[in-house]
Amino acid sequence: MDRQITVFPMPKTGKISLVVAPRGVVQTLMSMLATLAQRGRVIVLDGGNCFDGYALARALRRSTHQVQAALKQVLLSRAFTCYQLVAMLAELPVDGTPVIVLDMLSTFLDENVHFTKRQRLLANGLNLLRQISAGAPVAIWARTRSSPVGDEDRQLLIPLLETAHDIWELQAPHTLEHQLPLF
Amino acid sequence: MLEFTGWLLDLFEDPREGLVLYFIDEDGARRRLIYPFPVTFYALGSDVELRALWRHLSNRPREITLRRTQRMDVFKRRMVMALAVTVQNPYEVSKVFRQTAAHFPHLEYADADLQVSLRFAAKTKAFPLSRCRVVADEDHKLETIDILEDAWVLKTMPIPLRIMTLSPDVAPHHARPHYLKAAIGDEEYHFDLQTWRPLLVNLRALIQRYDPDLLLTDWGDTWLLPRLLQQSEKYHIPLGLNREVGRGVSWHEERTYFSYGQIVYRGQQIHLFGRCHIDRQNAMLWDDYRLDGTIEVSRITALPLQTASRVSPGTGISSIEMLTALREGILVPWQKQQAEMLKPAADLFTADQGGLVYQPHIGVHKHVAQIDFVSLYPAIMVHFNISPETILPDPQGDNMVPALGLAIDTSQDGLVPKALRPLLEKRIAMKKYLASKPSWDPFRKNFSRRASALKWLLVTCFGYLGYKNARFGRIEAHQAVTAYGREALLRAKEAAEDLGFEVIQLYVDGLWVQHPDKTQPADIEPLLLEIQARTALPISLDGIYRWVVFVGSRQDKNRPVANRYFGVFQDGSIKVRGIDARRRDSTPFVSQAQMHLLELLASKDQPEEALPEAIAFLQERLRALRHRQVDLSDLLVRQRLGRKLAAYRTPSPAARAVLQLQSVGKEMRPGQRVPFLYTLGRPGVFAWDMPQRPNPQAVDVARYQRLLLRAAGIVLESWGWDEKRLTEKMLSDASQLKLPTLPKPHPEKHGHQVRRLTDSQASHALSGP
């Protein structure tokens, strides 16, 4: 995946960028994060426990010697429930700091919470993101799964697609079934 | 006026009478009392929102009373304004709450979904199975209840429980049971499962006659009781499973969930009213701590016995914390909103490290002392006051967490330490008791099972601090515990090295140390004192090994693996970790053989002296395997179904076994363990619970041979017999013995000589490095 797509357009204030892609996109997102971190503070909300600190450090090292300083610019918080994710969004400082939400839908696939409740919470979260995006760049990654959780993945993705201004949909590259003959 | 001393057996909500309580009177009577018991939940939000809720609920004054109040929110670390909604009948509270939450989804709620037994224990201090003095009026309405033994006493009065056991003659998922065995004390009855009417009539008579307090069943949740109830309805013969008249049984659905990265399946449950039902096959850790431990869990967590028997230790810990919160007037959040603090990514590298591991030196080590911190993580939580509300984000004061940019507020006891302290103290007291008493001590078995139940609660409490759904969990508190743990282990290592010991392995809460002159427990005492002085945490000597072997990884035997070892203590007892003898997915054939090899090694002063016997034993086991003399049930592998069948790209052996079962209409859920045999050809497995018998000739002998020799190689490798060498000697031409040490025989006598070679001679011929 990261061999095919190496750069996303940087998120812009006033817009919500959405990347719909499988897990392999994390490396690329860390590269984008590295670029943002060298410009200033950036907030990362991780909804799928998928923040890869080592990949970020590697991406930073490719362009700066000040890796530690850049790592300190990335402020991270992980959500393990949909309640937590929405609570985090509600508490974010609105000061123009770019916000990246990783694997936003993962916590909303929690079978322990009634589906309509999750839909409502997601709508709340997207409202908050709209408000934040008015003063800061916002990018969201929605992870696609190889074995979707029933129809819920799709139903939860729809409001995200409706909210986003730019949408990047990436698919995992097709793997060859077998080794091609040399001649 | 009714006064008596007894034990609180069961309590539950009733639509008409509020709370119903069943007691075992010490005079032998069983008593039913009622108790009007209003319960309160809280709504939190803005004044406008709370006012709207007040308006919505204020038109039901007979059922609900409302008041504004202030309660403690531990996450906000201050009192917050709340609307207290008091529901007169506890039976109605969940309905009122559901309706309220549906109408006002934006509000936060607290104390909303708590077990009534927790609320009752918080108010009266009386918990399930507590011994108490009870006063009731002439209408059997509870007036006062005073506990005579709290949950933390070590020696308790035995409860005169009347127990009836019910079990089918065979596991129902494996084969069709023929009869039902009912036992009360020494009496035992067998009922034919083909003729339901007499079974129901007789069982009903037995239940009426003995009026048991506890129905202890096998497969009662998932097979027996559902069938009994179905037939009881069909034949119109009520069984009287409940002691409470007019109530049906309570069904709880089966479920599958993730715990510590593993998928877990829990079968459906059937709970009774006024009587308890425990299904031994569906009870939590029954094999480990039995009824004694289950009673201990019930008393400590304040959960009714039949609930306590089925909940995970995590739920147990959660109940203890919620009970503490209720007693302290702290809000128990319905849905925890509080999330991880924003922290620099750089901090994640230091914060998210887990326990400290120092890889072992591979091979045999003699006179190694194993020293363990006693319940390290709970002890850290208690000693350093780690709780969600005591974590301070800004570095300040002297109570900085090692290596993390966090501090601990020690100005007042945290909720979690407050909940854990008595539990930890009781566990330590029980351990001390067990260590000080001989093996014939009459309380030993009871104490050992109860101590095991406490151990599981304590083991879980740390993980629960970081669990996403824990009401009082917080990731920073979780990280602080491991940070203190790493620091404690490092200090222990330094103390050991300062006293001249060599450290062989460090593993999270234990260290293995060696000193050529310090080989007796008394020699280790100064080290224990030194570590305790440097860490302020309790530590104890687990034992001194005569020898211990740390084995390498399966992929690369030169690469050390933490916590994979076996050894023999000075008292002859064997300890194993991470090898087949300990693994739940090993076949009994392999794990028993591996354990026997260890016992052989342990039986000699020098383990190498046991090698001829060990080799002979392996030959005998292989011979038995090849001649189909091993019981098929000893070849069973029990693997967990990791996901739904459709989610497998390449079905695992367990999944293939489940596919077989599916073809005969037997369903398995993810998280269930599937017993099967490895067989020749496709699909390579035979599900044990198939209706037909397995063909012994189809067993994949070669595969079991490999498993056996691999397990044997792990144990014998340090003495020159690794898997490869064992395989070469035993499976290729090992049976064609070369006899280089024997005099060259006359051609005519050669065959005679070979025939006369005894097994032990053969094993001698095979032994040696």
Side-chain angles (χ1 to χ4, degrees):
Chain A
M1 176 65 68
D2 58 337
R3 283 184 193 159
Q4 294 196 333
I5 305 282
T6 52
V7 179
F8 287 120
M10 286 296 130
K12 290 175 187 156
T13 303
K15 285 190 171 180
I16 295 178
S17 300
L18 172 67
V19 178
V20 183
R23 193 176 179 102
V25 81
V26 167
Q27 306 278 324
T28 312
L29 290 171
M30 292 301 123
S31 299
M32 180 177 82
L33 203 51
T35 310
L36 285 169
Q38 288 171 77
R39 294 178 187 172
R41 274 198 341 165
V42 54
I43 291 172
V44 178
L45 302 186
D46 184 356
N49 204 12
C50 53
F51 174 81
D52 187 342
Y54 295 106
L56 175 60
R58 277 197 299 274
L60 282 168
R61 205 179 296 115
R62 282 198 284 269
S63 52
T64 177
H65 294 299
Q66 309 295 323
V67 175
Q68 278 296 324
L71 281 172
K72 282 185 180 158
Q73 297 286 0
V74 178
L75 298 178
L76 171 75
S77 180
R78 291 167 294 180
F80 298 95
T81 67
C82 46
Y83 294 97
Q84 287 180 339
L85 190 75
V86 176
M88 278 177 187
L89 289 169
E91 286 166 14
L92 280 187
V94 187
D95 58 2
T97 307
V99 175
I100 313 286
V101 187
L102 300 178
D103 197 0
M104 177 152 180
L105 293 182
S106 203
T107 58
F108 292 90
L109 292 169
D110 182 352
E111 290 173 351
N112 294 318
V113 183
H114 197 277
F115 186 59
T116 50
K117 176 113 194 174
R118 284 183 270 151
Q119 284 179 306
R120 187 182 60 72
L121 284 167
L122 179 60
N124 288 354
L126 290 173
N127 274 338
L128 289 164
L129 279 169
R130 270 191 215 103
Q131 290 165 23
I132 294 165
S133 72
V138 171
I140 302 170
W141 165 40
R143 181 174 140 206
T144 51
R145 288 167 170 75
S146 52
S147 49
V149 185
D151 194 33
E152 289 184 354
D153 282 40
R154 197 181 57 80
Q155 287 191 55
L156 290 169
L157 182 62
I158 290 169
L160 247 73
L161 294 169
E162 289 169 354
T163 304
H165 300 94
D166 299 325
I167 300 168
W168 292 75
E169 195 163 351
L170 309 179
Q171 290 178 345
H174 292 293
T175 50
L176 292 172
E177 290 290 321
H178 52 82
Q179 176 78 41
L180 289 176
L182 287 174
F183 303 103
Chain B
M1 181 75 77
L2 172 68
E3 280 191 60
F4 65 92
T5 298
W7 289 264
L8 174 57
L9 176 68
D10 193 18
L11 71 167
F12 50 88
E13 304 95 327
D14 182 83
R16 285 176 292 108
E17 296 178 302
L19 193 65
V20 173
L21 305 111
Y22 275 86
F23 290 89
I24 300 174
D25 191 329
E26 64 181 3
D27 73 2
R30 270 50 183 166
R31 305 207 181 271
R32 177 188 187 274
L33 302 183
I34 55 170
Y35 186 47
F37 187 51
V39 298
T40 301
F41 70 88
Y42 299 90
L44 301 104
S46 68
D47 282 353
V48 176
E49 289 170 317
L50 292 183
R51 182 159 180 77
L53 174 61
W54 179 81
R55 277 194 187 143
H56 178 77
L57 293 173
S58 58
N59 59 356
R60 299 159 75 177
R62 286 176 59 188
E63 297 166 64
I64 298 167
T65 55
L66 302 163
R67 70 192 156 89
R68 271 168 70 92
T69 183
Q70 286 203 321
R71 303 288 286 180
M72 183 66 190
D73 182 329
V74 281
F75 293 106
K76 294 194 171 86
R77 294 166 58 83
R78 60 180 165 80
M79 303 294 275
V80 293
M81 190 57 72
L83 182 67
V85 181
T86 301
V87 183
Q88 294 310 311
N89 187 338
Y91 189 83
E92 299 293 329
V93 70
S94 58
K95 190 173 86 185
V96 172
F97 170 65
R98 268 202 316 276
Q99 291 168 345
T100 306
H103 269 86
F104 297 88
H106 298 287
L107 291 174
E108 289 178 35
Y109 296 94
D111 294 11
D113 56 347
L114 307 180
Q115 282 262 351
V116 77
S117 62
L118 294 183
R119 294 181 189 272
F120 185 75
K123 184 177 176 186
T124 65
K125 295 187 179 167
F127 46 88
L129 302 170
S130 57
R131 186 159 182 269
C132 25
R133 182 81 192 144
V134 182
V135 178
D137 67 13
E138 57 276 11
D139 296 327
H140 287 218
K141 195 180 281 184
L142 178 72
E143 288 192 341
T144 62
I145 180 165
D146 298 306
I147 56 162
L148 303 175
E149 286 174 350
D150 75 17
W152 309 112
V153 296
L154 292 189
K155 285 188 180 169
T156 54
M157 285 271 287
I159 310 169
L161 277 175
R162 290 201 292 251
I163 302 173
M164 175 187 278
T165 57
L166 293 174
S167 35
D169 59 324
V170 63
H173 52 266
H174 178 57
R176 190 175 170 179
H178 293 98
Y179 65 87
L180 173 67
K181 189 170 75 180
I184 303 135
D186 297 334
E187 292 181 41
E188 194 171 301
Y189 305 85
H190 287 205
F191 302 122
D192 188 349
L193 278 163
Q194 317 310 317
T195 51
W196 281 99
R197 181 178 285 280
L199 184 154
L200 294 168
V201 170
N202 286 315
L203 188 58
R204 180 174 68 172
L206 269 185
I207 291 172
Q208 278 176 355
R209 194 165 118 211
Y210 290 102
D211 189 19
D213 303 306
L214 171 62
L215 284 185
L216 201 54
T217 66
D218 288 309
W219 299 286
D221 279 342
T222 50
W223 185 84
L224 180 59
L225 263 52
R227 264 154 194 77
L228 286 174
L229 290 165
Q230 189 189 30
Q231 297 299 327
S232 151
E233 202 174 309
K234 183 177 167 188
Y235 288 97
H236 306 291
I237 302 172
L239 277 170
L241 292 176
N242 283 322
R243 196 175 258 155
E244 175 78 352
V245 179
R247 290 289 286 259
V249 302
S250 174
W251 296 76
H252 298 232
E253 280 182 5
E254 64 177 1
R255 65 197 191 101
T256 297
Y257 58 93
F258 272 96
S259 174
Y260 294 93
Q262 278 199 325
I263 194 158
V264 179
Y265 170 81
R266 309 293 304 160
Q268 71 168 14
Q269 304 172 16
I270 295 182
H271 294 225
L272 305 178
F273 294 96
R275 214 188 303 280
C276 302
H277 168 228
I278 297 177
D279 174 354
R280 292 183 285 205
Q281 305 296 329
N282 203 26
M284 182 60 66
L285 294 162
W286 183 265
D287 289 342
D288 195 57
Y289 52 63
R290 307 288 167 132
L291 186 58
D292 291 333
T294 307
I295 290 174
E296 182 73 15
V297 173
S298 174
R299 283 176 155 161
I300 282 175
T301 60
L303 293 170
L305 181 63
Q306 48 189 349
T307 307
S309 71
R310 293 168 173 92
V311 297
S312 67
T315 306
I317 278 293
S318 183
S319 298
I320 295 170
E321 290 174 359
M322 288 195 280
L323 182 59
T324 308
L326 284 173
R327 284 178 176 156
E328 300 283 323
I330 292 168
L331 293 170
V332 180
W334 175 51
Q335 295 290 351
K336 190 182 64 175
Q337 315 270 330
Q338 196 267 341
E340 186 178 25
M341 298 168 185
L342 273 177
K343 60 168 74 91
D347 288 2
L348 202 64
F349 293 108
T350 46
D352 249 18
Q353 286 190 14
L356 182 67
V357 173
Y358 179 86
Q359 298 288 19
H361 303 172
I362 294 173
V364 190
H365 303 271
K366 290 188 175 173
H367 308 303
V368 172
Q370 183 182 342
I371 299 170
D372 288 337
F373 284 99
V374 181
S375 300
L376 176 66
Y377 285 169
I380 285 172
M381 287 150 81
V382 170
H383 181 78
F384 295 104
N385 200 34
I386 299 176
S387 194
E389 77 278 20
T390 59
I391 300 289
L392 304 173
D394 304 316
Q396 52 185 279
D398 298 331
N399 300 309
M400 291 295 296
V401 180
L404 304 187
L406 300 168
I408 304 290
D409 176 5
T410 52
S411 62
Q412 53 188 344
D413 273 357
L415 172 73
V416 172
K418 211 178 276 185
L420 292 182
R421 184 171 288 114
L423 186 62
L424 181 64
E425 286 170 355
K426 188 173 187 181
R427 157 100 170 126
I428 292 173
M430 281 189 149
K431 270 192 86 163
K432 277 185 183 159
Y433 179 92
L434 287 167
S436 68
K437 297 291 176 187
S439 57
W440 49 262
D441 183 81
F443 288 98
R444 194 172 180 86
K445 196 181 274 183
N446 171 274
F447 265 50
S448 158
R449 287 171 175 169
R450 289 165 59 203
S452 174
L454 299 182
K455 180 192 79 180
W456 281 108
L457 289 169
L458 287 168
V459 163
T460 315
C461 71
F462 157 70
Y464 213 71
L465 206 53
Y467 173 49
K468 65 176 185 175
N469 289 327
R471 312 293 177 107
F472 297 105
R474 180 169 180 164
I475 198 87
E476 288 83 2
H478 190 268
Q479 290 167 340
V481 174
T482 56
Y484 276 113
R486 294 191 294 273
E487 178 68 20
L489 203 59
L490 272 180
R491 289 186 186 192
K493 173 182 172 284
E494 287 163 6
E497 288 171 344
D498 289 350
L499 295 184
F501 287 87
E502 185 187 353
V503 176
I504 307 291
Q505 184 188 220
L506 297 180
Y507 189 75
V508 185
D509 63 349
L511 56 164
W512 285 253
V513 296
Q514 192 180 39
H515 190 292
D517 306 325
K518 294 177 180 173
T519 60
Q520 297 304 311
D523 301 334
I524 310 299
E525 198 60 31
L527 175 59
L528 299 182
L529 292 173
E530 184 60 27
I531 293 174
Q532 201 149 341
R534 292 191 190 190
T535 63
L537 295 167
I539 192 155
S540 68
L541 175 68
D542 196 30
I544 298 178
Y545 292 96
R546 272 165 41 203
W547 50 264
V548 59
V549 177
F550 292 98
V551 290
S553 123
R554 272 187 190 171
Q555 284 74 34
D556 176 359
K557 62 182 180 183
N558 295 316
R559 191 157 58 87
V561 182
N563 216 28
R564 190 158 182 246
Y565 63 91
F566 54 88
V568 181
F569 285 117
Q570 288 175 337
D571 67 0
S573 59
I574 295 171
K575 185 165 184 178
V576 299
R577 289 290 181 274
I579 63 172
D580 300 74
R582 174 94 176 171
R583 292 176 60 93
R584 289 183 68 184
D585 57 358
S586 299
T587 70
F589 172 68
V590 171
S591 53
Q592 285 163 10
Q594 194 181 49
M595 203 62 208
H596 185 76
L597 290 174
L598 280 169
E599 285 161 2
L600 286 176
L601 296 173
S603 67
K604 307 289 182 191
D605 288 338
Q606 299 299 324
E608 49 271 26
E609 292 170 9
L611 289 176
E613 215 175 321
I615 302 294
F617 167 74
L618 273 179
Q619 285 177 315
E620 182 280 318
R621 289 283 70 202
L622 285 176
R623 203 162 30 237
L625 180 68
R626 288 190 205 117
H627 294 154
R628 307 314 201 258
Q629 288 164 348
V630 178
D631 196 312
L632 288 182
S633 63
D634 283 341
L635 296 177
L636 282 180
V637 184
R638 285 187 165 80
Q639 283 181 3
R640 208 189 284 267
L641 185 66
R643 60 191 86 160
K644 289 179 181 170
L645 278 182
Y648 279 95
R649 283 184 185 170
T650 310
S652 65
R656 278 179 271 146
V658 171
L659 275 170
Q660 284 181 338
L661 292 172
Q662 212 175 41
S663 70
V664 293
K666 290 188 175 182
E667 292 294 329
M668 299 284 280
R669 301 269 183 274
Q672 282 187 284
R673 282 193 182 272
V674 193
F676 61 85
L677 296 169
Y678 287 118
T679 52
L680 295 167
R682 292 194 172 191
V685 294
F686 179 87
W688 187 244
D689 295 334
M690 290 292 281
Q692 66 268 36
R693 288 182 160 288
N695 174 9
Q697 298 306 317
V699 167
D700 187 348
V701 169
R703 183 159 193 165
Y704 286 103
Q705 281 178 347
R706 281 200 303 278
L707 291 173
L708 176 67
L709 292 174
R710 190 175 73 187
I714 289 168
V715 170
L716 301 179
E717 183 177 351
S718 296
W719 291 279
W721 285 96
D722 65 359
E723 181 188 352
K724 191 176 168 211
R725 186 163 176 227
L726 284 171
T727 308
E728 281 170 4
K729 286 285 182 188
M730 299 225 172
L731 296 184
S732 56
D733 60 348
S735 57
Q736 301 298 312
L737 296 174
K738 292 175 185 172
L739 302 167
T741 53
L742 296 175
K744 195 173 180 181
H746 186 277
E748 288 170 21
K749 291 183 179 173
H750 187 215
H752 181 64
Q753 286 284 357
V754 171
R755 279 197 302 275
R756 285 185 62 193
L757 199 67
T758 63
D759 272 2
S760 73
Q761 284 169 320
S763 56
H764 275 291
L766 280 164
S767 66

